[in-house]
Amino acid sequence: MSKKKAQGTNLLYQLIGEARNYDDVIIMGRGDPDFDTPAHIVAAAKNAMINHHADYSPPEGLLALREAIAERVKRVNNIDVDPATEVVVANGGQEALFLMVLAVLSPGDEMIVPEPNYNTYADSLAFAGGVKVEVQTYAENDFRADPADVAAAITDKSRALLLVSPNNPAASVISPPDMQAMLDIAISKDLMILADDIYDLFVYDDFEHVSPASLPGGKERALTLNALSKAYSMTGWRLGWIVGPADLMARVKELKAAISGGASIISQHAGIAALTGPQDAVEMMAEAYRRRRRLVLDALDAMGMKYGLPQGGQFVFADIGFTGMDSGEVAQRILTEQHVLAYPGSAFSKDRKDYLRMTFLQPEEQLIEGLERMKVAMRDMMAER
Amino acid sequence: MASQTKADILAQHETNAALKTPAPGQITRHAKDLGADGMLSPLDERIIAAASEALEAGQTHYVDVPGIAPLREAIAEYLNTSFSAPCQSSNIIVTAGLQESRFLTIQKIGETFDSIGIPDVVHPGVQKALGVRTRNVVSIAVDADRGYLPTLGAIADAVAGGCQLIYLESPSRLSGAAYTSDEVDAIGQLLGESGATVIWDQGLAPWVDGGCRSLASTEDAPAQVTTIGEAFPGMGLASWFIGYIAAPENQIPAMQSQKQIMAICTSTAAQYAALEASSLFPTAHPPRLARLRSAKSDATESAQELNLNVIAGDALNVIALRTSNDSAAKLRAAGFDCADGGDFGASEVIRLNINTTTADALQALR
């Protein structure tokens, strides 16, 4: 009997596992910024170990952290929330995502999902027994999710609409008019909105991020997640949050207590320092990603590769259809032969076998080296055709 | 316009009694909070130094889903030496605390079985974990005279009835009573004969004087036993939330995959702190146990002098009392919090932590 091929999340972790075997590997796959957590946040964590190591935190998180989150979502996202009842702290954006899905979807419920999308949504939806209804987007439109296509996908079982902006892996940003149209659809069809704002600080050129919960009529039907992982380079701290209307957040809070209880007290104190302390490190990293994005796009242009313009996020979704090979195979060969880890589009969606997701979360010289190696691998693949 | 969809979601939520089961706090809120599972403990400066050093060295990124390799090795070593439970690091998943261990095991091991046997008296976190996604539950009767542990007969009945997955605590999270070595062997033999699987919460076992037998140490059943617990309790890491799952290798992939889906990994700072705690635990724990032995003995004596009905329990960090139903309210009125047995399924019981205010709490119950 042949061994079953890894798919989705398992495929990504299989590749990550192999990448560890190569000393000279260049990581252009995982969404883990190369920058370490800013020093003042680490210092705050150390202080918390000394002074707050045994603090009590309820499952929804320390009030001081929830207040900092409320201030942040008001300042950045223009969402008004009451820290006492409308914020729940999670073990990273990933747990926030899982909680959001479980809070809203029951077995048989449908969630409208613009594709491609972050694979864990499908995993979480499967756990909840929900059904994913895909709405396709296309590289030639820079992976724009068309509200008309969303409206057309709605059935009497539809319960929620997932809006990830900037999108992962396609890096598209939902424009303000499109977001308003999405919200109008959600209101008219009485859908809940699951909004993932985790890349909201990374929007490029003249594109603009808007949170659906910030629009009139949006907050009462939207759960919005975010995390410190990407903006503050705090992936290892596992700290994220959900904000939303108090009635739904009461459900989120109970789910949080049932799944894991509170978040680590040290991470919570580090989170307070991140949100309330100096923000210059965030600016510095955002500027670095802007430079790197340009560098990667220039290199892809030079290679003649097509892609949807990354309007936000920390990656580019590039078309490797010219190789004539499945993206899983291409990613595998690039890794094995050239020691570069990029994520296959097929791990995000079965219809994206022609794409690779490449992050720009490495220093520029490494990105240049990684792209050079990818060019060699693809040239070899083409030569075999 | 009000959303009917949201109203439906909320209405569905209201009917989910399991998810809404009240539970004692995971950690102590204040000195008079005697209800929490996790106690206030000092944090050794070497743990602070090790965690700080790791963070300053850039250990601020994602780590392996099941945990950093040295911590998994340390936990495996701890289970081998403290519980004679044969396991390797590949059997270990580091979790964000005991509740995540409960959730992952109940939901992921549970989905491969038609039903799960749950004792009638059990930590309310179990009901909560079941409330997230309904499972077919088979009730297992407990023996109040045996510290609310299920009898071997009740376990055997559940297995004979076709229930092939059983959740057990030893010591009981409510009473602190633990199965004897002979009883553990008998349960192991039952599993060996029936092929049934057990999730074994041994989180209170480190608090048992002279050690507490793990089901994973039995001759007949270790390949069918998954153990869960808090990592190195008493080392000041209760609020950092760090737990473990030790499972047969064939059960690891599904739980690891689910852990990835719902958290990616456990906090790196907490993992490096726990790693340092693992090296200090063997010398730090015995004197702590000795202090607790004396404190529990005093508390038991005081309770008896006050004509309170003490339930025999092996765990030194808790004392459980069979009392009138208003005892929890009486304690609250005096400023104390306790674990209310009603939340566990035994409304006639309260559980108190053993600490500096336990004697005062007992006085308040007079």
Side-chain angles (χ1 to χ4, degrees):
Chain A
M1 198 170 67
S2 65
K3 195 177 165 188
K4 196 179 170 188
K5 272 189 178 175
Q7 293 179 324
T9 306
N10 289 334
L11 172 58
L12 300 183
Y13 275 81
Q14 183 177 295
L15 294 169
I16 291 170
E18 180 178 336
R20 282 201 198 93
N21 299 327
Y22 308 127
D23 290 340
D24 62 343
V25 71
I26 294 176
I27 303 289
M28 294 176 68
R30 201 167 200 185
D32 190 353
D34 56 314
F35 298 104
D36 292 336
T37 301
H40 74 278
I41 299 173
V42 172
K46 191 172 175 182
N47 179 55
M49 292 179 210
I50 297 165
N51 296 310
H52 302 288
H53 79 272
D55 281 3
Y56 167 77
S57 166
E60 65 269 30
L62 293 169
L63 180 59
L65 176 55
R66 286 182 279 135
E67 287 170 343
I69 290 166
E71 190 281 325
R72 190 272 189 200
V73 299
K74 176 62 182 169
R75 175 169 43 85
V76 177
N77 306 106
N78 197 29
I79 305 172
D80 280 302
V81 290
D82 179 349
T85 57
E86 297 182 323
V87 181
V88 168
V89 175
N91 288 331
Q94 193 91 341
E95 190 183 57
L97 178 170
F98 188 59
L99 289 166
M100 266 192 345
V101 170
L102 286 175
V104 169
L105 280 301
S106 294
D109 291 342
E110 292 179 354
M111 180 162 77
I112 312 288
V113 180
E115 286 286 304
N117 222 307
Y118 184 44
N119 41 306
T120 302
Y121 277 103
D123 298 329
S124 297
L125 195 57
F127 184 92
V131 178
K132 183 170 76 164
V133 175
E134 299 182 356
V135 172
Q136 294 303 325
T137 64
Y138 304 96
E140 50 268 36
N141 296 330
D142 292 327
F143 298 104
R144 170 181 176 250
D146 189 332
D149 293 340
V150 167
I154 293 170
T155 74
D156 57 1
K157 290 184 179 170
S158 302
R159 189 171 237 189
L161 168 61
L162 175 65
L163 298 174
V164 183
S165 178
N167 171 280
N168 178 7
S172 55
V173 173
I174 300 174
S175 69
D178 278 355
M179 190 61 89
Q180 182 62 59
M182 296 289 192
L183 177 61
D184 291 345
I185 291 166
I187 291 172
S188 68
K189 300 294 182 183
D190 197 8
L191 303 182
M192 307 310 293
I193 291 176
L194 303 188
D196 182 339
D197 281 1
I198 197 163
Y199 292 106
D200 60 1
L201 294 182
F202 305 102
V203 175
Y204 306 110
D205 303 333
D206 294 326
F207 297 100
E208 187 184 343
H209 171 269
V210 60
S211 297
S214 70
L215 301 173
K219 184 190 160 188
E220 51 266 39
R221 63 178 61 245
L223 293 176
T224 305
L225 81 74
N226 213 317
L228 300 178
S229 297
K230 313 298 180 184
Y232 296 88
S233 207
M234 291 178 70
T235 51
W237 301 75
R238 312 314 303 131
L239 206 69
W241 66 80
I242 302 173
V243 299
D247 46 11
L248 270 181
M249 291 307 293
R251 178 168 168 76
V252 171
K253 181 177 151 184
E254 287 184 344
L255 284 163
K256 172 68 174 143
I259 287 167
S260 60
S264 165
I265 200 75
I266 304 304
S267 291
Q268 293 197 57
H269 280 283
I272 293 168
L275 291 170
T276 61
Q279 302 296 305
D280 48 331
V282 179
E283 289 301 321
M284 179 277 290
M285 290 188 272
E287 180 54 35
Y289 299 143
R290 273 191 284 274
R291 282 197 312 273
R292 294 172 182 184
R293 167 180 172 269
R294 192 65 263 160
L295 182 152
V296 170
L297 296 184
D298 288 347
L300 294 178
D301 289 341
M303 290 161 69
M305 283 175 73
K306 294 178 185 168
Y307 51 82
L309 182 70
Q311 300 165 345
Q314 299 172 334
F315 28 75
V316 55
F317 206 47
D319 188 341
I320 47 93
F322 63 90
T323 63
M325 294 166 64
D326 179 279
S327 61
E329 195 178 348
V330 172
Q332 183 65 65
R333 286 195 58 173
I334 290 172
L335 177 60
T336 306
E337 295 170 14
Q338 292 294 330
H339 300 179
V340 176
L341 176 64
Y343 277 178
S346 58
F348 297 94
S349 166
K350 63 182 186 325
D351 297 320
R352 306 295 170 167
K353 291 174 180 168
D354 291 344
Y355 288 87
L356 283 183
R357 190 191 81 167
M358 303 169 204
T359 57
F360 32 89
L361 298 172
Q362 293 294 319
E364 289 170 40
E365 60 276 15
Q366 285 220 34
L367 289 174
I368 292 168
E369 169 68 16
L371 289 160
E372 277 301 316
R373 291 194 208 171
M374 285 172 71
K375 193 154 77 175
V376 171
M378 292 202 189
R379 189 189 60 210
D380 292 348
M381 287 180 233
M382 296 295 288
E384 291 171 15
R385 291 183 68 189
Chain B
M1 192 174 67
S3 165
Q4 186 57 46
T5 300
K6 185 158 86 170
D8 291 345
I9 291 168
L10 297 174
Q12 202 171 359
H13 180 222
E14 281 308 308
T15 63
N16 190 339
L19 195 60
K20 297 170 104 61
T21 308
Q26 290 174 293
I27 37 181
T28 305
R29 294 173 175 84
H30 49 81
K32 291 170 88 173
D33 179 1
L34 304 174
D37 280 4
M39 299 166 69
L40 283 174
S41 311
L43 184 62
D44 192 292
E45 61 188 26
R46 286 166 289 185
I47 295 176
I48 295 173
S52 301
E53 192 181 320
L55 292 173
E56 284 161 0
Q59 296 292 351
T60 59
H61 299 268
Y62 292 128
V63 293
D64 289 349
V65 177
I68 58 173
L71 179 58
R72 294 168 73 201
E73 284 163 19
I75 291 172
E77 171 68 16
Y78 163 68
L79 297 177
N80 277 309
T81 53
S82 299
F83 296 98
S84 302
C87 69
Q88 301 175 328
S89 60
S90 55
N91 299 111
I92 305 297
I93 295 176
V94 178
T95 64
L98 198 277
Q99 186 60 26
E100 190 178 274
S101 299
R102 276 194 195 105
F103 176 79
L104 281 169
T105 52
I106 287 171
Q107 288 291 344
K108 295 311 288 183
I109 299 176
E111 73 184 11
T112 61
F113 292 88
D114 293 335
S115 60
I116 178 169
I118 303 288
D120 288 344
V121 174
V122 74
H123 192 283
V126 172
Q127 302 298 343
K128 284 181 169 296
L130 287 163
V132 175
R133 190 174 63 169
T134 310
R135 309 240 65 85
N136 183 21
V137 171
V138 173
S139 158
I140 301 179
V142 298
D143 182 355
D145 294 333
R146 187 64 189 84
Y148 297 91
L149 292 168
T151 61
L152 182 62
I155 299 168
D157 287 347
V159 172
C163 182
Q164 286 286 295
L165 175 63
I166 310 285
Y167 186 97
L168 295 172
E169 299 170 341
S170 181
S172 155
R173 288 272 174 181
L174 178 60
S175 70
Y179 286 113
T180 64
S181 187
D182 287 347
E183 287 170 330
V184 172
D185 275 329
I187 296 170
Q189 194 181 342
L190 172 67
L191 299 192
E193 290 164 3
S194 65
T197 293
V198 166
I199 300 166
W200 182 264
D201 175 359
Q202 57 186 24
L204 292 190
W207 303 108
V208 174
D209 210 1
C212 180
R213 185 88 187 279
S214 170
L215 187 60
S217 70
T218 60
E219 233 175 80
D220 299 299
Q224 295 150 252
V225 179
T226 291
T227 58
I228 60 174
E230 292 89 343
F232 312 110
M235 299 301 293
L237 299 176
S239 303
W240 300 43
F241 296 116
I242 191 129
Y244 66 84
I245 296 170
E249 282 196 31
N250 65 335
Q251 287 177 348
I252 290 287
M255 288 190 284
Q256 184 171 318
S257 179
Q258 184 62 34
K259 167 80 180 172
Q260 194 282 324
I261 289 165
M262 55 188 252
I264 298 183
C265 60
T266 297
S267 151
T268 50
Q271 292 199 57
Y272 280 95
L275 179 60
E276 182 65 17
S278 73
S279 64
L280 304 174
F281 186 80
T283 49
H285 197 60
R288 190 177 302 118
L289 267 188
R291 285 194 295 275
L292 277 172
R293 187 184 308 122
S294 164
K296 180 159 182 180
S297 172
D298 290 348
T300 303
E301 217 169 280
S302 300
Q304 284 162 345
E305 282 169 11
L306 294 166
N307 289 323
L308 297 171
N309 186 348
V310 179
I311 299 169
D314 304 279
L316 295 176
N317 62 329
V318 292
I319 181 169
L321 306 167
R322 202 170 280 113
T323 65
S324 56
N325 284 344
D326 64 344
S327 295
K330 209 186 271 184
L331 281 174
R332 271 195 296 276
F336 294 96
D337 286 317
C338 66
D340 188 337
D343 301 341
F344 293 67
S347 58
E348 69 277 19
V349 177
I350 60 168
R351 185 195 73 185
L352 305 173
N353 278 338
I354 300 294
N355 78 22
T356 51
T357 64
T358 309
D360 296 335
L362 292 170
Q363 287 293 336
L365 283 173
R366 301 179 70 162

